[in-house]
Amino acid sequence: MAIRRGRGVAAINYPTGMNLGGDPTQALVHSTPTGNFMVTLSSVDLGQGMKQIMAQICAETIGVPTDRVVVDTADTDTGPHCMGTFASRGTHRAGNAVIQAAREARQVMLEVAAEELEVNASDLETDGQGNILVKGAPQKSISIFDVALSAHFKRGRSISGRGMFLIPRSYPEKETGAMKPSTCYAHACTVAEVEVDDETGEVTVLTVKNVFEIGRALNPKMVEQQLVGGSWMGISHALYETTEPYYPNRDHGGTDFNQYLMPGPGDLAETEIIVLERPSADGPYGAKGPGEMCANPQIPAVANAVFDAVGVRIDTLPITPERILRALKAQAAN
Amino acid sequence: MAKVPVQFTLNGSEKAEFIDSGTTLLHALRDKIGDTSPKGGCHQGTCGACSVIIDGELRLSCLTLVETCNGAVISTTSGLSEAGVLHPLQRAFLDTFATQCGFCTPGMIMAAKVLLDHTPNPSRDEVIEALSGNICRCTGYEPIIQAVLTAARSNSQNAA
Ligand code: FES
Ligand code: FES
């Protein structure tokens, strides 16, 4: 009887968004009379930071500082259509819709500025600080604040735009079954090191080293935050979490979340995160969806590490001490 | 149900309410007094989201009957910032990206505050111990541990 060490590796591809009845998200952008911009969405921020990312995307597209953008995700009854925040689709789908809406709003904004400055709209550019300048003659400029006032009170125009992003449903080809369920994949690879006590069946994850390829990281600190949390969650899925430990038998299933196991702050594995940025062709500024992907590769990596440590393949989650001990017993009996 | 008079200090201001006997402090704070910073995660003492400080001690407001709080001095996360300036713990939670959905954050901050009040320079293990009654679904805990250590460091720098 001994503590045995093992190391396992796993790599995954993970689609961004879903392929059911088509996957649309829509967005509306409009300016207030003082030249702040509102993004209206039905997409919900569950803590991933969608509001911040949509503000950045809108600001980048219109050419204003991020703090000039307010994102309203208040109401799925009255807001523009969104399928929802799931399938790692939020940044990709809503981001693309926001870009389209913001482009249209920017065009109106430049047209109003052009009338004020008596130049062509195509000769104008934004400085990213809240001003519109004549290309090559930056001393000729107008603030977006004044443009908005002019649009609202003088020119009777709405600086606004509509954005729609739809990934249409892909049907399998009759002959081959080939289809395109997703247009954009994130990738990850994890190496996990574990210790398995072959007497108690207990697994301790010592280290997890993750590489995530997530398109462009629109907000690197928030990406890191998701990945760190996701890596922990992957270990939690691998070793602890279940509502039905003897599925389909309900016996010993938790009756409440207080019987739902997750590792606490004292059970953390040494975690390393490396981010690779390979901008996606159809992502907003190259982004992909890293949300769920980041909690997946740890699971097969831990299962492989357990195999490396004690030579048994556990193919049911979570990898509990009981499952390991039963497998070791079966192995010994053979 | 009979109403009982309850009087306590919440974040420095006097509160006096008639509250149904048997009401938890969590319910009284959120639904009667309007301080929604303590969160109701489990309502059975297992998640820590409802943590508040009562007379200097960390307590679970979901398991505390409000009528036992007469004369108590209670602090919640909503009372931490002063004149719009965030408490060092709040600042550190932001700076280390230690909050995602934020549901656990007020409880985590209360637990951390009690720790730092008694142990201004805690070790990593002491931080883990202090947070071990609080569940977080999102962050993987490491950023929260870092936030508490960061706040402790900035406190000791300010004191120096
Ligand atoms: S709500 Fe009080 S411990 Fe969960
Ligand atoms: S930040 Fe979501 S539960 Fe901790």
Side-chain angles (χ1 to χ4, degrees):
Chain A
M1 295 292 162
I3 308 269
R4 298 187 188 279
R5 258 191 195 219
R7 185 187 292 160
V9 61
I12 61 159
N13 304 322
Y14 205 95
T16 301
M18 56 156 195
N19 180 47
L20 295 174
D23 193 8
T25 287
Q26 306 191 352
L28 297 170
V29 167
H30 75 269
S31 91
T32 65
T34 53
N36 288 330
F37 285 86
M38 290 284 311
V39 179
T40 312
L41 292 167
S42 293
S43 324
V44 172
D45 191 337
L46 310 170
Q48 315 89 329
M50 174 184 257
K51 281 185 167 177
Q52 169 66 21
I53 295 300
M54 293 309 131
Q56 284 179 224
I57 288 175
C58 178
E60 177 73 20
T61 310
I62 293 183
V64 292
T66 303
D67 61 10
R68 296 280 292 267
V69 179
V70 177
V71 178
D72 178 10
T73 58
D75 195 335
T76 53
D77 265 353
T78 55
H81 180 198
C82 176
M83 292 300 283
T85 305
F86 61 90
S88 306
R89 66 188 290 290
T91 295
H92 190 271
R93 303 298 199 258
N96 275 317
V98 168
I99 287 179
Q100 195 184 47
R103 274 197 191 129
E104 192 173 302
R106 177 184 163 94
Q107 187 51 37
V108 180
M109 175 181 86
L110 294 181
E111 282 166 19
V112 173
E115 288 172 36
E116 289 295 320
L117 294 171
E118 299 178 344
V119 295
N120 273 330
S122 58
D123 291 332
L124 294 174
E125 62 187 6
T126 42
D127 68 354
Q129 308 297 319
N131 302 297
I132 297 170
L133 325 169
V134 177
K135 284 180 204 164
Q139 67 284 5
K140 201 161 176 190
S141 75
I142 182 169
S143 72
I144 290 173
F145 183 97
D146 286 332
V147 172
L149 284 180
S150 157
H152 282 252
F153 293 103
K154 215 159 107 191
R155 316 236 168 228
R157 298 202 59 183
S158 165
I159 301 180
S160 56
R162 303 150 297 165
M164 304 114 220
F165 188 72
L166 168 67
I167 298 282
R169 178 169 179 180
S170 161
Y171 290 90
E173 278 174 31
K174 283 224 169 58
E175 288 300 306
T176 61
M179 65 187 298
K180 202 177 182 196
S182 178
T183 61
C184 172
Y185 289 83
H187 308 91
C189 182
T190 292
V191 177
E193 259 187 307
V194 304
E195 272 180 0
V196 184
D197 184 328
D198 66 5
E199 190 171 5
T200 64
E202 217 162 320
V203 179
T204 309
V205 181
L206 303 172
T207 65
V208 260
K209 300 187 193 307
N210 306 283
V211 181
F212 297 109
E213 189 286 294
I214 52 120
R216 181 174 282 158
L218 300 187
N219 186 313
K221 280 304 284 181
M222 280 168 46
V223 164
E224 183 191 321
Q225 165 186 52
Q226 284 257 297
L227 301 181
V228 169
S231 180
W232 166 84
M233 224 179 266
I235 293 170
S236 185
H237 293 318
L239 297 180
Y240 300 97
E241 293 184 38
T242 181
T243 52
E244 343 247 317
Y246 298 99
Y247 185 82
N249 186 335
R250 272 292 296 144
D251 288 353
H252 304 284
T255 54
D256 210 322
F257 277 115
N258 63 12
Q259 295 164 0
Y260 188 81
L261 282 185
M262 293 192 294
D267 311 313
L268 304 182
E270 188 188 317
T271 302
E272 193 177 325
I273 306 278
I274 292 173
V275 175
L276 297 181
E277 297 184 70
R278 302 279 185 276
S280 75
D282 74 346
Y285 298 108
K288 299 177 176 178
E292 289 158 297
M293 171 277 281
C294 65
N296 279 266
Q298 301 78 16
I299 302 170
V302 167
N304 286 338
V306 168
F307 176 72
D308 187 41
V310 291
V312 294
R313 282 261 167 234
I314 309 297
D315 58 8
T316 308
L317 294 174
I319 303 169
T320 57
E322 179 181 342
R323 289 199 170 113
I324 290 179
L325 290 181
R326 284 187 193 282
L328 285 172
K329 209 168 154 187
Q331 186 194 45
N334 284 331
Chain B
M1 211 186 285
K3 301 250 187 217
V4 290
V6 188
Q7 231 176 329
F8 52 77
T9 308
L10 176 66
N11 299 325
S13 58
E14 295 299 319
K15 300 287 169 194
E17 300 274 339
F18 285 100
I19 290 177
D20 287 335
S21 178
T23 299
T24 64
L25 177 61
L26 176 64
H27 183 60
L29 288 175
R30 290 182 58 87
D31 300 324
K32 296 272 184 290
I33 292 168
D35 180 353
T36 54
S37 65
K39 306 295 177 206
C42 64
H43 299 273
Q44 12 180 297
T46 58
C47 74
C50 66
S51 301
V52 300
I53 302 174
I54 304 179
D55 296 330
E57 280 185 40
L58 187 67
R59 300 279 293 274
L60 298 171
S61 64
C62 74
L63 296 185
T64 304
L65 292 181
V66 69
E67 54 218 273
T68 66
C69 297
N70 257 315
V73 176
I74 300 174
S75 342
T76 67
T77 309
S78 66
L80 280 185
S81 65
E82 276 176 49
V85 178
L86 293 180
H87 186 275
L89 272 165
Q90 292 173 305
R91 186 75 256 158
F93 267 68
L94 279 179
D95 290 346
T96 62
F97 287 71
T99 177
Q100 287 187 39
C101 77
F103 205 80
C104 70
T105 309
M108 290 285 183
I109 288 181
M110 288 288 102
K113 179 162 192 310
V114 171
L115 170 71
L116 298 189
D117 286 348
H118 294 107
T119 314
N121 286 304
S123 66
R124 181 184 167 90
D125 282 347
E126 285 171 321
V127 172
I128 288 173
E129 180 69 29
L131 300 178
S132 62
N134 294 63
I135 290 176
C136 175
R137 171 81 268 191
C138 306
T139 62
Y141 294 99
E142 187 60 41
I144 299 177
I145 297 168
Q146 292 308 324
V148 180
L149 291 170
T150 304
R153 273 197 299 274
S154 78
N155 277 345
S156 60
Q157 270 161 15
N158 290 344

